[in-house]
């Protein structure tokens, strides 16, 4: 306010504010962020051949691509995405992403074959980085997994993956 | 008020459990379902001002013929001045004849933006239009807060603004309910990960509602399979809502879109007529599924963000307007009447020479309803609708 909107001053004030430091990596993921970060972690640089499953998941989570009814677009507030009903759906989507390639590697042309792929979430990025940020409760739950798909579901549903 | 004494007495009973199913206390709690028609439905062609000659001059291709005019698709007579769209003849008109529905024309807000999302937000927030808006507090969430035994739920895929705020309120999209893919063991493990996290309550509540709904759905599907027609779309959702609101939930919200008829709207038949038929079947299906006992204690309020222009446009449709018509229905509603202030509709009495004026503010209407349905006092009403005066139209 004192600088009357001078961009450099405003930005400097924002960057030095205590809220900025604490908020930096703790924003609840909206469905697009959640799905794409899960798929990216699972498949790395493999090119997705069919995005229909992803669009379907986003529609189920009420953030379908270009599907917002009114021109103000999807909300950027976490409160719009972390209600009880939405979390329950998110866990179901986590199970789908974690259980197999879900048709993402089968091109949409008739007669196409399904290319080999499976979600590999326990990869280098996980072991070198993400694993260290997991809380003891999450690690305890992951230890109870009875199959790789089960592990994937639990990991993608964990609180750490939601932010 | 005797109902309030009954409720206080019953509150001391607590729930009984039989074979794992929790039986709610006897059904003495009032239920409210708000149905939001998103897109500003054309109220003038649904609750039709049949005594106004100007209506017929202003809508040469869209007007619905007068009742008794001998036309094939004439309006159904409500009273001397108003008629009902014939597409609602099998579903809503019988409710009118049984005095279970009242219509409130000239209803709406003082939001003059005529913008869908702005006015939808205005209504859902229930806050004064002029002044800063708190997007984290919808009026049904505030209502759930002041009621002593509210079990709220939004039957939508995303939690709507109307239910934001306070403790997390569950939402569930009803068209795609199946067997949950996450099994019990995985559910428990996920809950254990969230212990102590600020989302813990939401996670547990989400699983609980999912289980309740799935159990209810399987019971309802067994019951429904004995019936003839398999409902689709909106009617499928509202029948499930009726089943769920019989005993489990008492404060619900659902929305339905597709009402923004700028082009080729149709008059007595056509696109709008088809949507009305679907809406009517949905509401009648809800009334049937909720059961006669619960229906006597249920009030359904149908609202929309605004009405449409009185005159048709060059595309045989109508554009964004102002005043709309709201519906209030239920087994115990004092229906069979057109309620609220009304005026003759001529060019001189139109709002800004284009729309229905608003003579009943939505917050005044809801305030008056809540006073009677839930016995809310003045300070509770002021919490739900700050800065608004309730208007009792004696419809409940």
């Amino acid at each position: 306010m004192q600088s009357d909107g001078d961009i450099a001053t405003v930005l400097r004030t924002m960057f030095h504010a205590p809220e900025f430091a604490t908020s930096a990596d703790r924003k609840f993921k909206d469905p697009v962020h959640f799905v794409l970060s899960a798929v990216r972690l699972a498949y790395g640089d493999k090119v997705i051949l069919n995005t229909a499953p992803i669009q379907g998941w986003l529609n189920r989570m009420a953030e379908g691509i270009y599907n917002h009814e009114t021109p103000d677009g999807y909300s950027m507030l976490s409160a719009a995405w972390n209600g009880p009903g939405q979390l329950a759906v998110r866990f179901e989507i986590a199970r789908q992403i974690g259980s197999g390639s879900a048709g993402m590697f089968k091109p949409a042309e008739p007669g196409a074959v399904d290319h080999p792929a499976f979600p590999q979430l326990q990869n280098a990025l996980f072991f070198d980085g993400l694993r260290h940020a997991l809380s003891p409760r999450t690690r305890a739950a992951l230890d109870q997994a009875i199959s790789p798909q089960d592990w994937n579901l639990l990991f993608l549903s964990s609180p750490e993956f939601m932010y | 008020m005797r109902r309030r004494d009954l409720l206080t007495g019953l509150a001391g009973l607590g729930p009984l459990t039989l074979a794992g199913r929790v039986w709610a206390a006897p059904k003495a709690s009032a239920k409210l379902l708000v149905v939001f028609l998103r897109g500003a439905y054309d109220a003038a062609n649904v609750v039709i001002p049949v005594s106004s000659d100007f209506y017929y001059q202003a809508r040469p291709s869209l007007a619905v013929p007068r009742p008794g005019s001998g036309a094939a698709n004439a309006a159904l007579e409500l009273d001397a001045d108003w008629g009902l769209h014939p597409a609602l003849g099998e579903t809503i008109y019988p409710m009118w004849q049984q005095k279970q529905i009242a219509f409130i024309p000239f209803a709406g807000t003082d939001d003059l933006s005529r913008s869908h999302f702005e006015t939808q937000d205005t209504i859902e927030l229930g806050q004064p239009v002029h002044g800063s808006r708190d997007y984290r507090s919808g009026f049904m969430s505030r209502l759930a807060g002041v009621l002593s035994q509210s079990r709220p739920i939004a039957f939508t895929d995303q939690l709507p603004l109307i239910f934001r705020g306070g403790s997390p309120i569950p939402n569930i999209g009803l068209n795609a309910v199946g067997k949950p893919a996450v099994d019990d063991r995985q559910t428990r493990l996920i809950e254990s990960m969230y212990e102590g996290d600020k989302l813990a309550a939401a996670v547990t509540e989400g699983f609980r509602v999912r289980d309740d709904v799935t159990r209810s759905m399987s019971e309802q599907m067994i019951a429904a399979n004995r019936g003839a027609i398999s409902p689709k779309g909106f009617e499928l959702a509202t029948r499930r809502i009726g089943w769920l609101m019989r005993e489990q939930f008492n404060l619900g919200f659902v929305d339905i879109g597709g009402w923004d008829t700028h082009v080729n709207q149709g008059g007595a038949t056509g696109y709008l007529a088809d949507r009305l038929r679907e809406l009517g079947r949905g509401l009648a299906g809800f009334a049937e599924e909720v059961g006669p006992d619960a229906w006597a204690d249920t009030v359904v309020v149908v609202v929309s963000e605004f009405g449409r222009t009185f005159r048709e446009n060059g595309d045989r449709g109508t554009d964004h307007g102002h005043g709309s018509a709201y519906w209030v229905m239920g087994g115990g509603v004092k229906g069979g009447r057109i309620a609220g202030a009304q005026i003759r509709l001529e060019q001189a009495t139109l709002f800004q020479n284009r729309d229905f004026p608003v003579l009943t503010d939505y917050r005044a209407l809801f305030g008056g309803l809540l006073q009677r349905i839930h016995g809310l006092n003045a300070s509770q009403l002021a919490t739900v609708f700050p800065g608004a005066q309730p208007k009792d139209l004696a419809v409940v």
Side-chain angles (χ1 to χ4, degrees):
Chain A
M1 272 189 289
Q2 286 147 336
S3 69
D4 197 28
D6 172 60
I7 294 180
T9 319
V10 170
L11 285 179
R12 203 175 299 125
T13 316
M14 284 173 68
F15 292 147
H16 287 127
E19 291 89 345
F20 183 79
T22 52
S23 78
D25 51 5
R26 194 72 191 159
K27 170 134 186 183
F28 189 79
K29 288 180 183 169
D30 70 348
V32 168
H33 195 167
F34 174 77
V35 169
L36 293 182
S37 62
V39 172
R40 191 81 158 107
L41 181 63
Y43 299 103
D45 290 333
K46 245 175 140 84
V47 175
I48 308 271
L49 299 176
N50 185 353
T51 58
I54 296 178
Q55 293 179 48
W57 293 325
L58 292 176
N59 280 328
R60 265 192 79 186
M61 292 199 278
E63 201 182 19
I65 315 249
Y66 301 128
N67 272 349
H68 197 247
E69 286 255 346
T70 49
D72 53 342
Y74 291 114
S75 173
M76 293 199 287
L77 298 177
S78 312
W81 305 110
N82 62 7
Q86 292 162 300
L87 290 175
V89 172
R90 197 173 276 217
F91 298 140
E92 310 244 333
I93 305 290
R95 197 196 72 88
Q96 294 206 332
I97 297 177
S99 63
S101 64
M104 287 187 284
F105 296 93
K106 184 171 179 185
E109 304 116 25
V113 287
D114 200 356
H115 293 237
F118 65 92
Q120 179 68 59
L121 292 171
Q122 284 184 325
N123 53 30
L125 175 58
F126 172 76
F127 286 115
D128 291 343
L130 300 178
R131 188 169 56 128
H132 304 299
L134 298 181
S135 73
R137 267 193 307 277
T138 302
R139 288 182 212 232
L142 290 173
D143 279 341
Q144 311 274 328
I146 55 176
S147 71
Q149 292 80 5
D150 200 41
W151 190 96
N152 289 346
L153 157 67
L154 293 171
F155 177 66
L156 292 177
S157 302
S158 67
E160 289 83 359
F161 198 77
M162 293 297 172
Y163 290 91
Chain B
M1 192 177 168
R2 280 187 37 224
R3 182 187 272 176
R4 211 183 300 165
D5 294 339
L6 182 64
L7 274 175
T8 326
L10 286 170
L13 277 179
L16 310 161
T17 317
L18 183 69
R21 180 175 169 174
V22 177
W23 292 77
K27 300 178 281 290
S29 62
K31 299 171 209 289
L32 176 67
L33 175 69
V34 173
V35 178
F36 203 120
L37 307 184
R38 294 199 191 273
Y41 90 104
D42 185 24
N45 259 16
V46 179
V47 182
I48 306 161
V50 292
S51 66
S52 160
D53 292 327
F54 185 51
Y55 167 75
Y56 291 96
Q57 291 158 18
R59 293 182 168 211
S61 61
L62 297 185
V64 179
R66 285 191 162 108
S69 66
N73 281 310
L76 303 162
E77 183 180 320
L78 294 176
D79 68 11
D81 295 312
W82 301 93
L84 186 67
H85 193 287
L88 296 172
E90 288 172 2
T91 48
I92 303 293
Y93 197 57
M95 285 192 206
W96 169 267
Q97 290 166 320
Q98 287 157 30
K99 300 201 183 309
Q100 292 185 345
I101 183 169
F103 295 103
I104 298 109
F106 304 100
T109 66
D110 51 349
D111 184 329
L112 292 178
S113 66
R114 294 190 180 89
S115 150
H116 288 300
F117 64 91
E118 278 192 43
T119 316
Q120 286 176 17
D121 287 354
T122 295
I123 293 181
E124 293 189 57
L125 293 175
Q127 297 164 26
V129 169
H130 310 290
S132 69
R133 296 180 166 198
D134 180 4
Y135 280 92
R136 285 161 301 177
S137 173
F139 83 81
M140 283 182 82
S141 155
R142 298 195 292 275
L143 175 61
V146 305
L147 292 176
S148 56
Q149 293 199 16
S150 72
R151 282 159 291 158
I153 185 164
F155 298 103
T156 50
D157 285 326
Q158 200 188 9
L159 191 70
L161 206 50
I162 207 172
F163 262 134
R164 297 257 182 92
S167 41
I169 287 174
N171 70 288
I172 182 150
L174 279 181
N175 275 315
V177 173
K179 204 157 131 334
V182 175
D183 64 34
D184 288 340
R185 183 189 58 90
Q186 292 164 334
T187 302
R188 269 180 276 114
L189 285 174
I190 294 176
E191 284 177 340
S192 74
M193 288 196 284
Y194 280 87
E195 256 169 65
D197 190 278
K198 68 176 196 260
L199 289 179
V203 170
T204 316
E205 175 76 356
F207 282 132
R208 195 187 65 77
V209 170
R210 177 202 66 172
D211 291 341
D212 283 350
V213 170
T214 312
R215 209 174 329 131
S216 281
M217 289 298 90
S218 55
E219 290 167 4
Q220 193 251 2
M221 283 191 275
I222 296 170
N225 279 336
R226 295 188 228 114
I229 308 163
S230 157
K232 292 183 268 290
F234 186 62
E235 189 186 350
L236 177 62
T238 51
R239 280 183 178 270
R240 289 174 165 174
I241 295 174
W243 189 270
L244 289 168
M245 285 188 76
R246 265 198 203 201
E247 282 166 40
Q248 297 218 37
F249 299 101
N250 60 13
L251 187 61
F253 174 83
V254 69
D255 55 18
I256 172 173
W259 302 98
D260 196 20
T261 50
H262 286 280
V263 178
N264 280 331
Q265 173 179 311
T269 55
Y271 174 77
L272 178 64
D274 293 338
R275 308 282 350 195
L276 288 171
R277 202 164 295 117
E278 189 189 1
L279 173 67
R281 273 209 276 268
L283 294 172
F286 169 82
E288 204 178 285
E289 286 294 336
V290 87
D293 295 327
W295 179 239
D297 282 328
T298 302
V299 176
V300 178
V301 185
V302 177
V303 300
S304 194
E305 58 265 38
F306 36 76
R308 302 188 80 83
T309 48
F310 200 72
R311 300 178 182 87
E312 64 182 57
N313 64 24
D315 285 323
R316 295 172 183 265
T318 47
D319 302 314
H320 298 179
H322 191 47
S324 180
Y326 294 170
W327 315 2
V328 177
M329 66 185 86
V333 163
K334 300 192 182 76
R337 37 187 288 258
I338 309 289
Q342 296 155 52
I343 54 173
R344 285 224 74 75
L345 280 161
E346 295 145 13
Q347 181 171 352
T349 55
L350 287 186
F351 177 72
Q352 293 180 354
N353 194 18
R354 54 177 277 163
D355 312 321
F356 276 76
V358 169
L359 304 174
T360 301
D361 180 71
Y362 77 103
R363 289 182 302 158
L365 169 68
F366 269 106
L369 292 174
L370 296 174
Q371 255 180 336
R372 287 187 173 240
I373 300 172
H374 293 114
L376 296 189
N377 60 33
S379 90
Q380 288 170 316
L381 282 174
T383 309
V384 180
F385 290 116
Q389 285 306 313
K391 192 191 283 187
D392 186 0
L393 297 177
V395 287
V396 293

